[in-house]
Amino acid sequence: MDQFERLSQLPLRDDLRGQHPYGAPQLDVPILLNVNENTFGVPLDAREAILKAVANELDGLNRYPDREFTELRRALAAYLGHDLTEENIWAANGSNEVLQQLLQAFGGPGRRAIGFPPTYSMYPLLASGTGTAYVTGVRAEGYALTAESAARQVREQAPNIVFLCSPNNPTGTALGLDVVEAVYEAGTASQAIVIVDEAYAEFAHAGTPSALSLLPGRPRLVVSRTMSKAFALAGARVGYLAAAPEVTDAVRLVRLPYHLSAITQATAVAALRNSDSLLANVEHIKVQRDRIVNELTAMGLAPSPSDSNFVFFGGLANPQAVWEGLLADGVLIRDVGIPGHLRVTAGTEAETTAFLEGLRALLGR
């Protein structure tokens, strides 16, 4: 009897039967470009600041941390700008926990959420885990999502929660603010919470607007962010949101007590105080991202325009063979399950070169 069969014999919730947990392959290869990590790592000055901040917390580890993580919320508000204050900010262990808490507060049995695939694959899993029904919207050819189409689907489905991923994962494209505005208005009848997931916002091209600018006067709008990508803190698990103060009050009703450890809070605050050096690497990543788009185009492939730290590309007759060939060369990228397509993270110049040379050789065969 295999593990899946043993699991099925437990009194599992009916809606979880047959489900599979989220997870990308975790393989030990030289170049990891499959889960959109910041491969530059933490710069020395930020590393030293984090070490000092964590050391200062050690004497108090026998005490519970600040339940309201006040210093972190103030630092995040200052980083985001847009006249936000600590009252507008909430944080948790990664943006996935932020999204989960929002679903716990505003979703649940008898309620439903809508997303527009292809998009972040955790949305339906988080919905399932909170007993929230999940409805899949549709996109146009080329995976575009217009304001008119999105608003019409929200009016028809009358969801309680709407997920808008911008820049979208896995396509990498940012949404226009007109889409967010139209969806927000369309969700008025069902009082929908509109979540704009901006996990990759720091990698967007200059001039790309953030939904943070739309928060005033929109109490049902939430902008979700993370420190995993631009701040190279995937291992620290820090995500956060900006919204009206009443949204953060709602999330307090469902959060676990003392959910952010003192070490996590200290790490995040120190990183925010050293954001200049951390975000300097974002500019290097954007250069490699644009290089990938240009060189894939020259190879005759079809990369999508990207405002993120990854590139989604099509035109592959056999993506599985390409994925396996690159893996054999020590380069791991992501098969997102979309026919003819793969996704690659923009890494360092050397990592990007290894990917491009490996792909060029495979296509030449």
Side-chain angles (χ1 to χ4, degrees):
M1 184 183 298
D2 63 21
Q3 185 174 357
F4 190 77
E5 289 176 317
R6 292 196 298 271
L7 173 62
S8 67
Q9 293 185 349
L10 290 176
L12 194 65
R13 279 171 28 196
D14 289 340
D15 60 329
L16 294 181
R17 291 190 180 278
Q19 298 283 344
H20 294 275
Y22 172 88
Q26 290 186 305
L27 304 176
D28 185 16
V29 297
I31 299 176
L32 299 170
L33 302 176
N34 67 322
V35 288
N36 305 335
E37 295 160 324
N38 184 331
T39 66
F40 280 77
V42 180
L44 182 60
D45 60 341
R47 186 180 307 179
E48 291 176 345
I50 290 170
L51 284 171
K52 182 178 179 180
V54 169
N56 289 339
E57 295 295 328
L58 296 181
D59 286 340
L61 283 185
N62 59 311
R63 303 294 184 184
Y64 287 115
D66 175 11
R67 185 175 60 235
E68 292 297 308
F69 45 95
T70 308
E71 185 178 9
L72 174 55
R73 286 165 49 225
R74 288 173 181 163
L76 286 168
Y79 167 68
L80 291 178
H82 293 273
D83 295 322
L84 296 169
T85 73
E86 64 191 81
E87 301 302 320
N88 301 107
I89 305 298
W90 188 256
N93 295 285
S95 58
N96 283 328
E97 186 176 48
V98 169
L99 298 177
Q100 181 184 59
Q101 290 175 341
L102 288 168
L103 281 161
Q104 287 174 313
F106 300 107
R111 299 191 174 194
R112 59 181 169 176
I114 187 172
F116 299 89
T119 191
Y120 185 35
S121 58
M122 273 301 296
Y123 298 153
L125 292 176
L126 289 167
S128 176
T130 57
T132 308
Y134 187 77
V135 179
T136 54
V138 297
R139 292 175 179 261
E141 185 177 356
Y143 308 116
L145 185 63
T146 66
E148 181 182 7
S149 172
R152 174 180 51 78
Q153 293 180 70
V154 168
R155 284 193 296 269
E156 290 173 352
Q157 297 293 340
N160 304 98
I161 296 171
V162 181
F163 289 110
L164 296 174
C165 192
S166 181
N168 187 46
N169 181 8
T171 60
T173 49
L175 290 173
L177 293 188
D178 62 325
V179 178
V180 180
E181 291 175 299
V183 165
Y184 187 89
E185 292 305 314
T188 300
S190 60
Q191 286 295 285
I193 296 292
V194 178
I195 303 170
V196 184
D197 184 350
E198 292 189 346
Y200 300 94
E202 286 91 347
F203 299 99
H205 287 91
T208 303
S210 165
L212 291 169
S213 64
L214 300 179
L215 286 173
R218 293 183 174 88
R220 293 180 288 105
L221 181 62
V222 180
V223 179
S224 172
R225 292 280 189 99
T226 182
M227 296 186 74
S228 293
K229 313 300 182 181
F231 282 85
L233 292 181
R237 311 308 303 127
V238 185
Y240 57 101
L241 66 77
E246 51 265 40
V247 171
T248 63
D249 285 339
V251 173
R252 283 183 177 88
L253 300 175
V254 298
R255 60 96 179 266
L256 294 174
Y258 311 106
H259 69 289
L260 275 182
S261 76
I263 300 301
T264 299
Q265 294 181 41
T267 298
V269 170
L272 287 162
R273 289 175 177 167
N274 288 269
S275 60
D276 288 347
S277 63
L278 283 158
L279 296 181
N281 284 336
V282 168
E283 297 307 312
H284 297 307
I285 292 168
K286 289 164 70 172
V287 168
Q288 297 308 314
R289 184 258 328 271
D290 294 342
R291 176 190 172 198
I292 292 171
V293 170
N294 292 334
E295 295 203 26
L296 291 184
T297 302
M299 292 181 203
L301 298 174
S304 295
S306 178
D307 282 287
S308 55
N309 71 335
F310 58 84
V311 177
F312 175 74
F313 61 101
L316 298 168
N318 191 341
Q320 180 65 25
V322 171
W323 185 88
E324 292 175 352
L326 287 168
L327 181 60
D329 289 338
V331 179
L332 178 62
I333 66 172
R334 186 73 176 267
D335 184 346
V336 293
I338 297 175
H341 290 75
L342 292 170
R343 191 193 72 192
V344 61
T345 306
T348 63
E349 182 177 2
E351 290 170 331
T352 300
T353 297
F355 160 70
L356 290 169
E357 290 181 349
L359 179 61
R360 192 175 290 110
L362 287 168
L363 295 177
R365 295 173 197 165

